[in-house]
Amino acid sequence: MVTILEQPLFGQRVRELRTAHGLSQAALAEPGMSTSYLSRLESGSRPPTPKAVAYLAERLDVPRSAFDSASSTAVTQLLARGISAADGGAGEKILDVLNSAAEAGTEVDTALQWQMLWMLASAPSPGTEPAAEEETLQRLVRLSDEMGLPELQLRSRVKLARFHRLSGSPERGSARAEEAVSFGRAPGVSASDLCRALLAAVSAEAESGRLTLAREHVDELCELVEAHPELPSSLAAEARWSAASVRVRQGEHEAARDHLETAMRDLDSHDDILLWTRLRIAAASLYLQMAPRLTDRAAAGLAEAKVPIGLVGTRLHEQEYRVVAAQLAFHTGDFPEAERLCVELAGEPSLLSYRDGVRLEMLRIRLRHQSGAVREAVDEMTSLATRLQDSSNTDLTAEAWRNLAEALTTPADQSNPSQAR
């Protein structure tokens, strides 16, 4: 039995068809329907009547079946069978369902397509090619625009912004995140959604060197968290972590430490064990960047993170942990352990961010200097600092020059790393 789409799907279908015909609500409604009634239909606040369906089908020059739910129901059933199959591969099955429907000429409801692709984007299959992942996210954005729902437009763009940033295109990520922030300011959009859009914007802007804009957005983010204590503690913690990251890049280490320590204090490990763990690794890294280096605090943070990172962390998180652990070993005089970790990291494909990769390179240069290759190490650190300076990475540049100064004032055979408390 064919039934009419329920709300809000009916309203979304009307909006899609009206937009495709280039009609305003007033133009579609006249002469047999009020604009206010059509607006309520499109928003999903009023159920459609048979008379309204017949009128809209005539005005839009489409068959009444354009508002039927039969095709969507069939596809939904096919999808349910596919993704619950014992052999897994849900991502491939989602694409198969969509492609099969297109080949058969079966119209799939836009909202259902969006939901299917959201599932795929949220848990991409292992080995998914970056180009395929990007195409999925681009389709997600297009579908959200067709529906015209700010929340979905924001969430789609947040995912795409994150993909671009992690793929080494922070400028493109920043552009998509800016769009997400604009949707986050629309009436009715939740503080949580705006918070996630701002987080995406800050990450991409900071990574692309747009620190002034990143600072503006992170200040807004912190104000949002303060104004909405009902936000999930994990979101509040991420906001403060972002604030710490921006302040580190601007050389404000004390303010960055305050933000991170507040985040660590307020986030319970039961709320988000992975975030709880990563915060401690981030704090340990920050303590080792400060002057003087707070090696005891860094060691305490890594000690807390050691067990959970092995249980819930990905390969990327484990590499981030070992980079900081190697730095700590060096600055506490355990050169063999620092060397061991560096060799271990060099022997596997790197998943590290650009910044962590640079810090690992600095450490390897310091180890070469400590082992007696003084001239080579000085030349390499000078070259690295110059490259960073030319690329406007001010905080990393300062860190490289600091490492060079320490190497020049600490003879290789009399290394005396900081033991600051």
Side-chain angles (χ1 to χ4, degrees):
M1 177 180 177
V2 175
T3 58
I4 293 176
L5 286 167
E6 296 182 357
Q7 292 287 26
L9 297 181
F10 178 84
Q12 293 165 5
R13 176 65 58 80
V14 172
R15 185 188 300 115
E16 293 167 13
L17 293 170
R18 176 177 62 77
T19 302
H21 283 71
L23 297 174
S24 65
Q25 286 186 339
L28 175 59
E30 296 176 354
M33 180 183 290
S34 71
T35 304
S36 61
Y37 177 66
L38 175 59
S39 177
R40 289 193 291 273
L41 280 177
E42 288 196 2
S43 69
S45 62
R46 287 290 297 275
T49 64
K51 182 178 178 180
V53 173
Y55 177 77
L56 290 170
E58 180 182 354
R59 294 284 292 157
L60 290 165
D61 193 25
V62 297
R64 182 213 171 282
S65 60
F67 302 105
D68 290 344
S69 62
S71 62
S72 289
T73 301
V75 172
T76 302
Q77 292 173 351
L78 180 59
L79 173 65
R81 290 198 300 271
I83 64 177
S84 61
D87 58 351
E92 294 180 5
K93 290 179 174 63
I94 288 173
L95 290 177
D96 286 345
V97 168
L98 288 176
N99 293 335
S100 297
E103 290 171 3
T106 303
E107 184 178 354
V108 183
D109 178 74
T110 304
L112 178 58
Q113 290 186 61
W114 191 92
Q115 185 178 3
M116 294 165 74
L117 290 173
W118 180 263
M119 292 171 60
L120 178 57
S122 299
S125 301
T128 300
E129 291 294 327
E133 186 175 353
E134 181 177 3
E135 173 56 24
T136 295
L137 294 170
Q138 295 283 9
R139 289 172 68 182
L140 204 58
V141 168
R142 290 194 295 270
L143 290 169
S144 71
D145 288 343
E146 287 181 28
M147 290 185 286
L149 298 176
E151 296 94 333
L152 303 190
Q153 290 171 299
L154 178 152
R155 294 167 192 168
S156 301
R157 284 166 170 79
V158 165
K159 278 195 178 293
L160 184 56
R162 184 175 184 275
F163 170 82
H164 284 318
R165 179 177 63 81
L166 295 177
S167 300
S169 300
E171 296 83 3
R172 296 177 68 192
S174 179
R176 298 291 79 76
E178 282 287 347
E179 294 172 5
V181 170
S182 68
F183 288 117
R185 305 194 197 287
V189 175
S190 70
S192 293
D193 273 323
L194 178 55
C195 188
R196 291 185 174 92
L198 287 167
L199 282 167
V202 170
S203 297
E205 288 155 0
E207 198 70 24
S208 60
R210 303 169 68 194
L211 290 182
T212 300
L213 187 56
R215 179 61 178 263
E216 292 176 6
H217 279 147
V218 87
D219 287 345
E220 180 182 356
L221 185 57
C222 290
E223 290 173 4
L224 186 66
V225 167
E226 292 298 326
H228 293 274
E230 75 280 4
L231 285 171
S233 59
S234 57
L235 264 185
E238 285 190 73
R240 294 188 175 98
W241 186 0
S242 292
S245 298
V246 171
R247 281 158 175 75
V248 164
R249 285 168 163 84
Q250 294 183 316
E252 300 176 23
H253 286 180
E254 289 295 334
R257 186 180 71 180
D258 289 344
H259 279 292
L260 270 179
E261 291 180 349
T262 299
M264 288 191 292
R265 183 188 67 235
D266 294 348
L267 180 67
D268 190 284
S269 61
H270 294 94
D271 294 336
D272 190 328
I273 183 60
L274 180 57
L275 179 59
W276 184 92
T277 303
R278 295 187 68 207
L279 279 171
R280 277 146 182 80
I281 298 172
S285 178
L286 174 62
Y287 292 141
L288 294 177
Q289 296 169 48
M290 299 185 73
R293 293 185 175 89
L294 305 180
T295 54
D296 62 334
R297 295 193 186 185
L302 289 181
E304 288 185 310
K306 185 175 182 178
V307 172
I309 203 68
L311 295 175
V312 300
T314 65
R315 288 177 58 196
L316 167 61
H317 302 140
E318 292 171 354
Q319 288 186 0
E320 291 172 340
Y321 175 90
R322 282 180 284 162
V323 169
V324 182
Q327 292 172 326
L328 177 63
F330 180 87
H331 292 298
T332 53
D334 191 350
F335 303 122
E337 175 64 6
E339 182 69 36
R340 184 190 70 79
L341 289 168
C342 284
V343 171
E344 190 178 88
L345 285 162
E348 57 192 62
S350 177
L351 302 175
L352 297 170
S353 68
Y354 172 76
R355 301 178 68 77
D356 282 339
V358 168
R359 289 200 170 101
L360 185 59
E361 184 178 353
M362 290 182 196
L363 178 59
R364 287 170 175 153
I365 295 172
R366 291 295 304 270
L367 283 167
R368 282 195 287 276
H369 176 272
Q370 193 280 330
S371 67
V374 176
R375 176 61 62 84
E376 294 87 343
V378 169
D379 289 346
E380 287 178 29
M381 191 69 78
T382 302
S383 175
L384 175 59
T386 302
R387 291 201 314 271
L388 293 169
Q389 188 168 299
D390 291 342
S391 62
S392 301
N393 282 288
T394 54
D395 61 311
L396 285 176
T397 301
E399 198 171 331
W401 287 124
R402 177 188 176 188
N403 271 280
L404 178 60
E406 289 178 348
L408 290 173
T409 56
T410 305
D413 59 349
Q414 298 178 31
S415 297
N416 182 27
S418 169
Q419 298 288 338
R421 292 294 187 268

